[in-house]
Amino acid sequence: MRSATKLLQDIPVEASQTNPPLAKLQLLQSVNARRSSLEMAVDQELAMVDLWERMGELFGAKWLKQFGDTDSPAFGTWCRYLSDLSADHIKRGFMNLLRDKPQYLPDAVEFRSYCMDLKSLGLSPVRQAYDEACMAPAPKARQKWSHPAVYHAGVATGWHELACMPTEQIFPRFEFHYAEMCRRVVAGESLNLPVVQAIASHVPDICTREENIKRMQALREATGL
């Protein structure tokens, strides 16, 4: 199987001179798209090779005995399992691994969790983010948020719904939107893009004013605010 580097080298850089202008433009656009995709694959491939070498330096002979060199089946398995992550994610994962000073060899699943470590990106656990969204006073856009992802998850969920609906009904919707915002942060995407709305399994009853006051008081007591 050819590597991403070899595939990138094999991409043609010019369209045939016999093609009409439109066909030539379409071909060049296709080539550029393929080149961009393969360049990312090359970066990811190089990051995996670098990771393997650093793991060998960190864990010594134990690493090679357990997983082998970069031509081993284990390396191919790791590459496939982490193939959707960028080179930056892989580098961040290694730095997070160093931070925790592990005493044993991580497997691919554990290493992936280091790559997706939300805490290192300043993202709160979902329950903490939910409490922050519920307790933030209006106007919401002017508040100092622990991370913009919390605000955008609140926008997608609906401030009125967060204030009025019981936790057992609205929390799953907020959790859905917050997970999407966290995914965007990890992927380096914009938080302002439209999101698919989480749809409740049934239409809930809206709290009365008295019920809402009691719920907010209970939330303040639970959080110590």
Side-chain angles (χ1 to χ4, degrees), residues 14-15 20 31 39 73-74 93 113 132-133 138 142 162 184 189 195 217:
E14 292 183 356
V31 166
E39 283 175 347
S113 69
E132 180 182 358
R142 296 183 182 178
L162 282 169
R184 292 183 180 184
E189 299 176 2
V195 297
Q217 181 61 35

Side-chain angles (χ1 to χ4, degrees), residues 108-190:
V109 175
E110 291 170 313
F111 184 77
R112 184 182 180 87
S113 69
Y114 282 110
C115 296
M116 304 294 285
D117 184 9
L118 301 183
K119 184 178 180 181
S120 67
L121 297 174
L123 291 161
S124 304
V126 61
R127 190 71 194 202
Q128 184 177 332
Y130 171 75
D131 290 342
E132 180 182 358
C134 288
M135 297 300 297
K140 308 291 186 179
R142 296 183 182 178
Q143 301 309 310
K144 185 177 181 180
W145 297 91
S146 61
H147 194 283
V150 180
Y151 168 77
H152 286 282
V155 171
T157 305
W159 298 119
H160 178 73
E161 288 81 356
L162 282 169
C164 296
M165 292 173 61
T167 296
E168 62 269 17
Q169 293 179 352
I170 194 59
F171 177 75
R173 190 190 303 183
F174 178 86
E175 184 178 30
F176 172 88
H177 292 303
Y178 186 63
E180 169 61 15
M181 295 305 162
C182 289
R183 184 199 66 77
R184 292 183 180 184
V185 171
V186 171
E189 299 176 2
S190 171

Side-chain angles (χ1 to χ4, degrees), residues 12-191:
V13 295
E14 292 183 356
S16 171
Q17 295 298 322
T18 61
N19 286 341
L22 180 58
K24 182 176 180 179
L25 176 60
Q26 293 174 336
L27 176 60
L28 289 176
Q29 290 175 336
S30 176
V31 166
N32 289 336
R34 289 177 58 199
R35 183 178 294 275
S36 176
S37 176
L38 285 172
E39 283 175 347
M40 293 177 61
V42 169
D43 289 343
Q44 201 265 2
E45 180 182 303
L46 294 176
M48 285 300 302
V49 172
D50 183 64
L51 169 68
W52 219 251
E53 294 176 351
R54 290 178 180 272
M55 288 294 206
E57 295 171 355
L58 180 63
F59 293 106
K62 293 188 298 182
W63 180 262
L64 290 178
K65 183 178 180 179
Q66 177 72 25
F67 296 110
D69 209 335
T70 53
D71 58 354
S72 68
F75 178 76
T77 299
W78 276 58
C79 287
R80 286 190 294 273
Y81 187 69
L82 304 175
S83 62
D84 60 319
L85 302 182
S86 69
D88 287 340
H89 292 154
I90 294 170
K91 294 174 184 176
R92 183 189 304 127
F94 183 74
M95 296 305 298
N96 290 335
L97 179 72
L98 290 179
R99 179 199 64 200
D100 280 6
K101 300 179 181 179
Q103 300 300 315
Y104 59 92
L105 300 180
D107 57 25
V109 175
E110 291 170 313
F111 184 77
R112 184 182 180 87
S113 69
Y114 282 110
C115 296
M116 304 294 285
D117 184 9
L118 301 183
K119 184 178 180 181
S120 67
L121 297 174
L123 291 161
S124 304
V126 61
R127 190 71 194 202
Q128 184 177 332
Y130 171 75
D131 290 342
E132 180 182 358
C134 288
M135 297 300 297
K140 308 291 186 179
R142 296 183 182 178
Q143 301 309 310
K144 185 177 181 180
W145 297 91
S146 61
H147 194 283
V150 180
Y151 168 77
H152 286 282
V155 171
T157 305
W159 298 119
H160 178 73
E161 288 81 356
L162 282 169
C164 296
M165 292 173 61
T167 296
E168 62 269 17
Q169 293 179 352
I170 194 59
F171 177 75
R173 190 190 303 183
F174 178 86
E175 184 178 30
F176 172 88
H177 292 303
Y178 186 63
E180 169 61 15
M181 295 305 162
C182 289
R183 184 199 66 77
R184 292 183 180 184
V185 171
V186 171
E189 299 176 2
S190 171
L191 297 178

